Amino acid sequence: MNEVTRLSDIAHARSGDKGNHANIGVLAYTPAGYAWLKEYLTADVVAEYFATMKPSRVVRFEAANVLGLNFMLFDVLAGGASQSLRIDTQGKTLASALLQMPLVPPPVLKSLEQML
Amino acid sequence: MKPIRIGNGCGFWGDNLDAPILLARAGRLDVLTLEYLAELTMSILALQKERDPDAGFAADFLDVLERLTPILKEQPRLKIITNAGGMNPHSCARKARAILQGARLGYKRIGIVSGDDLLPRLDELLASGHAFTNLDTTAPLTTVRERVVSANAYLGAAPIVEALRQGADIVVTGRVADASLTVAPTAHAFNWRWDDWHRLAGATVAGHLIECGAQVTGGLWCHWQDAKDLANVGYPFVDMSDDGGFTISKPEGSGGAVNLETVSEQLLYEVGDPAAYLTPDVVADFTSVQLHHAGPDRVQVSPARGQPATGTFKASIAYRDGFQASGTLVILGPKAVAKAQASGAMLIERLRRIGIVPERHHIEVLGTGACVPGVLKDAPEPVEVVLRVSVQDGRRAVVERFTKELAPLVTSGPPGVTGYTTGRPPVREVFAYWPALVDKRVVTPSVEVLA
């Protein structure tokens, strides 16, 4: 079995913008993976991960039908598509960044097999 | 009843010019939709119209239409619905008609949907108590009124349906909610009522999934390497049923992929609360649909649940907010990152010494995870980076002066600096985005069908 260390091992994701806010949809590959996400990938964890980008708040929504969590990161784009001076004005890369997050705590071996 | 097939051949202004033609030729569509208007496109179109009263629409559409004319002859029932009209749907429609006439398709009827442009009435609306409060900051629009260049309500599907009822083969609109381009032909085909909330929600899910074109057929997919022949990516279509359920697929023989992953990624794309996706037509519950594999590159989406639409239209307003420019240099190691940071600081310092301090500046070292500043802490040190320096200021002259400071760094900074062959970066005017709501009762969509 491949080593499972990062979020990308148990989920896929896509991000985009809404004005100065961004959203990241995170989708688990399996129900066990979704259970792990629901327990550990909280709004607080995501806010902490992106803390240097200074989101004013992070809100999490559930979309169980696609084993998904949707995160809204408010005021995280330094002005958004029109005003931001950053290279990624639209939050297109946030999902790729989040997927590199180490899995903490590491899933135990048995539940791990169910997440892949 | 037989499903209606709606395909989207354009996800934004600037999208692949061949996609609509390939999709229309191979997709056996009933309706081709073409979506051109991003949040800020209207401000650019407003300025074009200011300079030339016949301009102000997505001109790409006319080239596409010209190339579609042979297909319109082969497929006489194919309808086209597009928001290419932008700030000037009437001018766009007149030019489209001239193209059709030139191709001996003058019998095609063109419908025009307008009434979204609020700018001519903005002061009257403000005076009568419509504050256009900024949805993010809660500031009233009066704080930037003098700088407003465009103000448009996102209309819904109803006026498009009216145009189709009046016999339009091609419908050209101004600002309309993207999903409504799909909702309209479906509601028309099945004669839905405007309080069929669940059905409208289903068509809204479909419209949302296809509005960004290739993003649901393999583009952006996390397993993009598994998408076959992405260079020849097929654009999506949906087969809508009367109950609001549908299947989503792409033309046979095209590249890309449609599967549970590509569809679920796009389902949540640019969504807030997935249980309450607001459009002018309905409040759609994206969490109410089930996705099922229905064959190669084919996914079935079950009927959705919806709630009554709100009493407001979203209004998208743009106002002038100064000027920006960004310039880049390429820097090779050793210590590429440190050299880039020093070069950027040097540039800003040189400006300061001549008395120029931009209101905002930003130095980023691309190659170090600059897309997400500070987030990827364990990124390895790159051997080569791109220094990107950007400034914003209300004074054009300040930004102009900045653009002349990049080239000198090639000879007066650290060694190993190159990549300056394209000249000084352009200065661009900034149009800031002001999201607001407007009472539906004060917006009157207008429908006209050219005889």
Side-chain angles (χ1 to χ4, degrees), chain B residues 63-134:
Chain B
D63 298 332
V64 168
L65 183 63
E66 178 103 54
R67 293 177 61 198
L68 282 170
T69 52
I71 297 168
L72 288 171
K73 286 175 188 167
E74 291 159 22
Q75 304 179 33
R77 295 163 58 88
L78 178 66
K79 291 183 190 294
I80 300 173
I81 301 175
T82 179
N83 62 7
M87 288 300 296
N88 203 344
H90 287 88
S91 179
C92 181
R94 280 194 301 273
K95 293 189 176 173
R97 184 168 63 171
I99 287 169
L100 293 172
Q101 283 167 344
R104 296 172 185 273
L105 287 165
Y107 54 88
K108 293 274 182 196
R109 291 160 70 89
I110 301 184
I112 305 169
V113 171
S114 59
D116 58 302
D117 185 2
L118 303 175
L119 194 57
R121 297 166 53 211
L122 196 54
D123 290 317
E124 168 207 330
L125 289 169
L126 284 167
S128 58
H130 300 275
F132 292 96
T133 305
N134 187 307

Side-chain angles (χ1 to χ4, degrees), chain B residues 246-313:
Chain B
F246 61 93
T247 59
I248 180 165
S249 189
K250 63 186 185 66
E252 241 174 84
S254 64
V258 176
N259 57 45
L260 297 177
E261 289 186 9
T262 69
V263 174
S264 60
E265 283 181 20
Q266 190 59 18
L267 186 70
L268 297 184
Y269 179 71
E270 289 182 352
V271 165
D273 179 356
Y277 185 81
L278 273 57
T279 79
D281 305 317
V282 66
V283 177
D285 182 356
F286 285 11
T287 69
S288 66
V289 298
Q290 299 300 322
L291 312 184
H292 297 287
H293 175 76
D297 292 316
R298 196 166 178 84
V299 169
Q300 186 182 4
V301 182
S302 69
R305 297 191 64 79
Q307 298 284 331
T310 68
T312 53
F313 286 122

Side-chain angles (χ1 to χ4, degrees), chain A:
Chain A
M1 185 171 36
N2 295 328
E3 200 183 0
V4 174
T5 56
R6 294 184 187 268
L7 189 55
S8 56
D9 294 322
I10 64 166
H12 55 121
R14 183 170 292 188
S15 58
D17 68 320
K18 274 195 171 300
N20 192 28
H21 319 306
N23 90 300
I24 311 175
V26 182
L27 307 118
Y29 290 124
T30 66
Y34 183 55
W36 190 96
L37 292 183
K38 276 212 298 189
E39 182 161 2
Y40 297 111
L41 195 65
T42 60
D44 286 345
V45 164
V46 172
E48 175 61 27
Y49 187 73
F50 288 107
T52 53
M53 295 179 72
K54 301 187 173 66
S56 61
R57 66 197 166 99
V58 173
V59 178
R60 185 179 92 166
F61 299 97
E62 293 179 10
N65 56 328
V66 287
L67 307 179
L69 297 176
N70 187 43
F71 295 90
M72 278 296 296
L73 284 69
F74 289 91
D75 304 297
V76 77
L77 295 178
S82 62
Q83 291 161 297
S84 175
L85 295 178
R86 285 194 201 139
I87 186 75
D88 185 12
T89 58
Q90 293 176 283
K92 299 277 186 194
T93 62
L94 294 179
S96 296
L98 184 59
L99 287 175
Q100 294 187 52
M101 192 177 84
L103 294 183
V104 178
V108 295
L109 199 60
K110 187 163 180 298
S111 68
L112 201 58
E113 283 165 11
Q114 298 167 347
M115 285 188 197
L116 303 176

Side-chain angles (χ1 to χ4, degrees), chain B residues 53-370:
Chain B
D54 287 334
F57 57 88
D60 276 9
F61 168 63
L62 297 180
D63 298 332
V64 168
L65 183 63
E66 178 103 54
R67 293 177 61 198
L68 282 170
T69 52
I71 297 168
L72 288 171
K73 286 175 188 167
E74 291 159 22
Q75 304 179 33
R77 295 163 58 88
L78 178 66
K79 291 183 190 294
I80 300 173
I81 301 175
T82 179
N83 62 7
M87 288 300 296
N88 203 344
H90 287 88
S91 179
C92 181
R94 280 194 301 273
K95 293 189 176 173
R97 184 168 63 171
I99 287 169
L100 293 172
Q101 283 167 344
R104 296 172 185 273
L105 287 165
Y107 54 88
K108 293 274 182 196
R109 291 160 70 89
I110 301 184
I112 305 169
V113 171
S114 59
D116 58 302
D117 185 2
L118 303 175
L119 194 57
R121 297 166 53 211
L122 196 54
D123 290 317
E124 168 207 330
L125 289 169
L126 284 167
S128 58
H130 300 275
F132 292 96
T133 305
N134 187 307
L135 286 174
D136 294 338
T137 66
T138 71
L141 186 65
T142 45
T143 53
V144 297
R145 171 64 191 96
E146 273 63 51
R147 295 189 274 152
V148 170
V149 294
S150 66
N152 297 77
Y154 282 83
L155 302 180
I160 301 175
V161 169
E162 181 53 33
L164 293 170
R165 281 199 183 124
Q166 292 181 26
D169 301 294
I170 295 171
V171 182
V172 175
T173 77
R175 177 61 91 188
V176 166
D178 295 345
S180 300
L181 299 177
T182 298
V183 173
T186 314
H188 175 246
F190 298 125
N191 213 13
W192 286 348
R193 290 158 38 129
W194 293 113
D195 60 359
D196 277 339
W197 305 117
H198 301 322
R199 289 182 167 98
L200 292 167
T204 297
V205 173
H208 171 76
L209 287 174
I210 65 173
E211 77 182 46
C212 292
Q215 282 191 199
V216 76
T217 54
L220 305 195
W221 180 25
C222 280
H223 293 116
W224 62 277
Q225 308 98 317
D226 297 339
K228 288 196 190 89
D229 195 13
L230 210 46
N232 181 39
V233 64
Y235 275 53
F237 58 72
V238 286
D239 290 324
M240 292 297 314
S241 298
D242 187 18
D243 61 4
F246 61 93
T247 59
I248 180 165
S249 189
K250 63 186 185 66
E252 241 174 84
S254 64
V258 176
N259 57 45
L260 297 177
E261 289 186 9
T262 69
V263 174
S264 60
E265 283 181 20
Q266 190 59 18
L267 186 70
L268 297 184
Y269 179 71
E270 289 182 352
V271 165
D273 179 356
Y277 185 81
L278 273 57
T279 79
D281 305 317
V282 66
V283 177
D285 182 356
F286 285 11
T287 69
S288 66
V289 298
Q290 299 300 322
L291 312 184
H292 297 287
H293 175 76
D297 292 316
R298 196 166 178 84
V299 169
Q300 186 182 4
V301 182
S302 69
R305 297 191 64 79
Q307 298 284 331
T310 68
T312 53
F313 286 122
K314 175 111 181 260
S316 163
I317 299 167
Y319 64 98
R320 289 177 204 274
D321 192 35
F323 303 88
Q324 278 185 3
S326 298
T328 58
L329 291 171
V330 179
I331 298 169
L332 190 79
K335 298 200 189 309
V337 177
K339 286 197 288 188
Q341 280 160 347
S343 301
M346 233 176 267
L347 189 160
I348 296 299
E349 171 62 12
R350 285 174 185 171
L351 284 174
R352 191 191 65 79
R353 283 170 183 247
I354 54 171
I356 290 180
V357 181
E359 287 163 9
R360 293 198 295 143
H361 77 265
H362 186 53
I363 298 169
E364 49 197 350
V365 181
L366 310 186
T368 63

